[in-house]
Amino acid sequence: MEIDLSRGNIEKVATDPRDTELYLGGLGTNAKILWDRVPPEVEPFSPENLLIFGAGLLCGTPATGCNRTIVSTISPQTKLLAFSMMGGFWAPELKYAGYDKVVLRGKSPELVYLWIHDDKVEIRDAAHLRGKGAIETAELIKAELNEPKAQVAAIGMAGENRVFYASVEQGRSSASRGGIGAVMGDKGLKAIVVRGTKDLNVAQPAEYMELCNEVLEYIKHREDNPIPGVMPILAGLGSPQEMKVHDEKWHTENFMWGNSRERKRDFWNDEVAKEWTETMEKARTRLISCFNCPMKCGATISMPGLPTYMMKCFTKLTYTMGAFSDLDFGLRIAQKATEYGVDGFSAPQVMAFALELLENGILTDEDFPEMPEDSEGRFFYLLDKIVRREGIGDILADGTHWAAERIGKGAAAYAHNNIKKTEQLPLKLSMLNPVYFLMYATGEKMNITQIEGQFPQAPFATKEEREAFVSDWIQVPDEKFKQYLLDWEFRGENSNPYYPTVQMSCDIVDWQETMHYIDDALGQCAGLSSFPLKPPYHIHNYPKFISAGAGIEMDEEKLKQAAKRYRTLVRALNTRRGMRRKDEKPPANHWKKRFPELEEELLDTYYKFKGWNKEGIPTIESLHELGLGYVSDDFIERGILVEGEEDFPQEVSAATEES
Amino acid sequence: MKKTKIIKNIIIDVDKCNGCRACEVICSSFHAMPKYSNNNPERSRIRVIHEPLRDVYVPIYAGEYAVAECAGRDKYIIDGKEYDECAFCRASCPSRDLFKEPDSGLPLKCDMCEGEDEPLCVKWCLAEALIYEEREVEIEEDEEAPDEIAIGLESLANKHGMEKVIDTIAQLSKTLKS
Ligand code: SF4
Ligand code: SF4
Ligand code: SF4
């Protein structure tokens, strides 16, 4: 469905089955639409920029955890493609209403919301919702429509004021990365409200149900058998169980505090544990799940004196650690931040960055009139300034990269934790890990958790543990991965950074990334698939799900090829917008021990493996192989590629192993 | 003489419900024609009334069809939590949109997944908010289940008097025949 917000036009367009076959759905078809219709000259805040809410291909079917909405647009923060996923209940509802996507273009002169009720679609006035919180908005709209079962995706004040890291909030879930909430606000759209009461078909009912039941059985098996020898949060399924788990020793002692600066090695003790456990238990009313999923990764949080809200994942600690404070503060400010609708990774880092600039005299007290003295008070103060774009908040609302550029005076050195202009998890480590180097450098989802997952983060200490781990590792796409793990050691020849070898690293990264890209097209939550070790969904059962669910004939090779196709298209979109090798850099201080030569070799080999040239641009040949000849033509026309002058003639390369 | 009868019982632990609606998905999928060919929570015979912000989670099964709404309504407050009007009622009733086929408006009723070993909503609720139990009870041999119409007529007779009921039936039979 297409909505032109400038004209108030609503148009229903049937999904092209040929595109579905080639790009599946969700991210894949979102990318295709953006390639076709948003040329690189289009600015994020232009009426020509599209904002696409895409339900994944299998969303709403009985496949457990298949509920993702993939929101794609051109990001104000990176000026590249943003694609952020949200769980919850929105995408299935859209499917029950009979749609795969909502494609928004133009700009509404007045603030409006979109109301989709099966065949009836309306653009409604939202003037009375201006400045309202995202959760508050959802409740108000459901009440005024008298539709308690409607699902609402809304922005808060941050989105309205185009904060570059504004999120789209949807009850227990949000699409937070890349500032898509800002694009929504720029379009004058406060919310999209959906209610669907139609049937959702699958192609081969009996086969499909059998697959779904197998997945459920496997989930039970994994719940009963957590993986031994890894950290508790890596042992089970689901998104990291931050709402359930009280022991935060690992995060608080290994992740950085403040502006991703300080590691507190002996932070976690009995006293802190007791206090934080109490805080959480008092605040948490219930653990809650997304649509059709038993994993309960979220929670309802009620802090005394504050409205109830819902939370998931690591936002639990980002504010706490950013402000050098405690969990009580973290949960209180997250309530406001959720209503305002900001990204829980970026926002606290931006605030900590601002305070560092003040401490170092780059900003002065005059920039922060009437700011409280205490760290907690300062964070609340800054959050308010940012979402209103008031005073210094107007600059900080652009994120650390652009704020540093506007401030000048050496501020850039303090925006030190970015990749492609996006704030990363606050992690600073010692020894370079070749697999993670590649993932950080080349990922276009701007977040490590959106690439990693299938291969353990660290070797197992003993041979027995390794053998036990690989003994029921059915998810590997190829037996060789078992050997990679069996031979991986903490020390000596077979250890980081030279082991896994460059070649192995390419294989491992490619596998992990491919699984995430498949999830993002199908609408499957990474928490049951690409993110945890040994998940119920993998390359061997996915083709069957697609065949039986969507009626597209599929096998492993064809699926890998499809994922490679739209993954390459994502890269092509970004290439066309100027992304090059120089942009593919983890933060300089991410690891203490760096190996420039090895890193260059890793990039060279990985690019080649992917069918990209030395600049990270997909080559003419690989584009044609993937049926992306139109991309190749466009690149040649724009002078991005020159025929006959590609960096890599496709000699025998690692890629041959792959396809 | 005594004989036994199986009572099928689903225990609903609202404290364990996480609001995932897997039960709605599998129920509507199981009852699709052909089986599992589609799903649509709107057709499910179990619905989860949930309002996360008020911490209200009530999985509710479709029970009998009610021709007319109740003369009075009920509203429960439990542990300080206020539940919606009729929150715990299973009826497919004109006063609400629960338990009706979306297109025909025909009432829906849970049949305990006839033909399956266990109710599928229970099987799919890994949170164990729904637990299935079978209980054997002894009943009198001659305690035949009384006819539904008989029960209805008896209650009418109690209320309006036997004569009035007979008159009305006689009249009705004329109008309905013609
Ligand atoms: S695994 Fe967690 S985040 Fe993923 S769908 Fe299930 S409840 Fe939601
Ligand atoms: S499947 Fe269980 S936990 Fe999920 S909504 Fe139904 S009753 Fe609640
Ligand atoms: S027992 Fe079967 S018919 Fe009844 S609500 Fe559960 S799934 Fe539906």
Side-chain angles (χ1 to χ4, degrees), chain A residues 287-332:
Chain A
L287 292 172
I288 52 178
S289 275
C290 300
F291 177 86
N292 191 19
C293 179
M295 298 314 300
K296 298 183 287 196
C297 306
T300 330
I301 305 282
S302 296
M303 294 301 279
L306 294 178
T308 301
Y309 69 109
M310 289 167 262
M311 180 188 249
K312 70 268 149 196
C313 275
F314 194 51
T315 308
K316 174 182 173 189
L317 295 186
T318 53
Y319 292 95
T320 298
M321 292 174 70
F324 292 100
S325 184
D326 59 13
L327 186 59
D328 179 76
F329 161 75
L331 296 183
R332 275 188 294 117

Side-chain angles (χ1 to χ4, degrees), chain A residues 52-155:
Chain A
I52 309 177
F53 284 70
L57 181 67
L58 299 176
C59 275
T61 68
T64 296
C66 203
N67 53 41
R68 257 43 188 176
T69 310
I70 295 88
V71 195
S72 315
T73 190
I74 302 302
S75 157
Q77 197 179 21
T78 62
K79 313 245 186 263
L80 304 174
L81 174 69
F83 54 109
S84 197
M85 279 70 63
M86 59 183 179
F89 296 82
W90 199 91
E93 201 70 31
L94 187 71
K95 288 278 197 175
Y96 293 133
Y99 308 98
D100 295 321
K101 285 189 200 305
V102 180
V103 180
L104 302 142
R105 65 171 193 269
K107 270 187 204 199
S108 165
E110 310 294 337
L111 194 64
V112 292
Y113 73 87
L114 186 64
W115 167 220
I116 304 169
H117 189 181
D118 293 327
D119 296 333
K120 214 180 82 207
V121 184
E122 263 180 82
I123 297 172
R124 294 175 64 108
D125 176 44
H128 57 301
L129 299 170
R130 185 176 295 283
K132 294 270 190 277
I135 308 302
E136 201 185 352
T137 296
E139 294 305 301
L140 288 168
I141 292 179
K142 284 192 278 183
E144 79 181 39
L145 296 173
N146 192 22
E147 287 285 350
K149 294 200 201 93
Q151 300 299 338
V152 184
I155 55 169

Side-chain angles (χ1 to χ4, degrees), chain A residues 351-583:
Chain A
M351 295 190 257
F353 156 85
L355 294 175
E356 242 186 23
L357 293 182
L358 174 64
E359 230 169 81
N360 289 282
I362 293 175
L363 291 174
T364 66
D365 286 335
E366 271 136 58
D367 295 310
F368 303 91
E370 290 167 59
M371 182 166 72
E373 283 299 311
D374 61 311
S375 176
E376 288 85 1
R378 289 177 158 193
F379 262 59
F380 276 110
Y381 168 96
L382 286 170
L383 181 61
D384 277 336
K385 294 278 174 216
I386 288 169
V387 300
R388 292 184 170 79
R389 280 193 175 270
E390 264 171 25
I392 190 72
D394 183 43
I395 292 172
L396 297 175
D398 291 354
T400 52
H401 173 86
W402 300 107
E405 204 159 271
R406 279 172 76 179
I407 295 165
K409 299 184 236 166
Y414 297 82
H416 68 107
N417 196 37
N418 295 342
I419 304 176
K420 301 179 181 124
K421 308 182 177 68
T422 312
E423 294 78 14
Q424 300 295 313
L425 269 182
L427 261 174
K428 302 291 160 205
L429 304 163
S430 171
M431 173 58 80
L432 180 98
N433 173 328
V435 171
Y436 274 76
F437 169 81
L438 279 179
M439 293 194 291
Y440 274 117
T442 64
E444 275 151 277
K445 295 170 82 175
M446 314 308 176
N447 221 51
I448 192 67
T449 56
Q450 296 294 338
I451 311 175
E452 66 181 350
Q454 289 311 286
F455 199 83
Q457 295 187 4
F460 289 96
T462 67
K463 194 160 165 264
E464 289 69 41
E465 280 174 294
R466 285 172 219 157
E467 276 165 0
F469 185 86
V470 303
S471 69
D472 61 353
W473 205 6
I474 54 166
Q475 291 80 0
V476 288
D478 190 298
E479 289 298 303
K480 68 186 173 195
F481 289 98
K482 294 185 179 171
Q483 202 55 48
Y484 295 176
L485 188 75
L486 286 170
D487 295 339
W488 193 16
E489 313 254 2
F490 268 116
R491 257 164 230 92
E493 223 172 277
N494 280 359
S495 72
N496 287 346
Y498 294 106
Y499 192 97
T501 64
V502 172
Q503 193 52 61
M504 291 172 191
S505 298
C506 292
D507 287 336
I508 295 169
V509 173
D510 187 63
W511 168 29
Q512 308 204 82
E513 190 181 69
T514 301
M515 295 322 295
H516 278 278
Y517 273 79
I518 296 175
D519 287 346
D520 298 346
L522 303 186
Q524 177 57 49
C525 171
L528 285 176
S529 181
S530 47
F531 184 67
L533 294 165
K534 300 189 180 170
Y537 295 98
H538 42 77
I539 193 67
H540 309 303
N541 61 5
Y542 260 156
K544 298 182 203 159
F545 268 97
I546 297 171
S547 303
I552 303 170
E553 215 179 292
M554 195 54 72
D555 57 35
E556 285 180 30
E557 278 322 308
K558 199 173 160 198
L559 178 56
K560 280 189 204 160
Q561 189 75 354
K564 193 171 177 187
R565 181 176 302 118
Y566 56 81
R567 195 274 170 264
T568 306
L569 194 56
V570 165
R571 169 135 303 227
L573 265 160
N574 288 336
T575 301
R576 194 165 71 166
R577 298 192 73 88
M579 190 187 80
R580 295 292 181 272
R581 184 182 182 119
K582 66 174 171 20
D583 301 303

Side-chain angles (χ1 to χ4, degrees), chain A residues 60 96 197 199-200 286 292, chain B residues 14 17 20 37 39-40 43 55:
Chain A
Y96 293 133
T197 65
D199 298 347
L200 185 59
R286 187 183 293 259
N292 191 19
Chain B
V14 298
C17 176
C20 71
S37 59
N39 88 90
N40 178 357
R43 291 185 202 279
D55 198 43

Side-chain angles (χ1 to χ4, degrees), chain B residues 10 23 26-27 31 45-46 61 110-113 119-121:
Chain B
I10 292 175
C23 47
I26 189 62
C27 179
H31 289 93
R45 292 123 203 254
I46 176 171
Y61 284 86
C110 164
D111 59 5
M112 297 302 261
C113 291
L120 293 178
C121 53

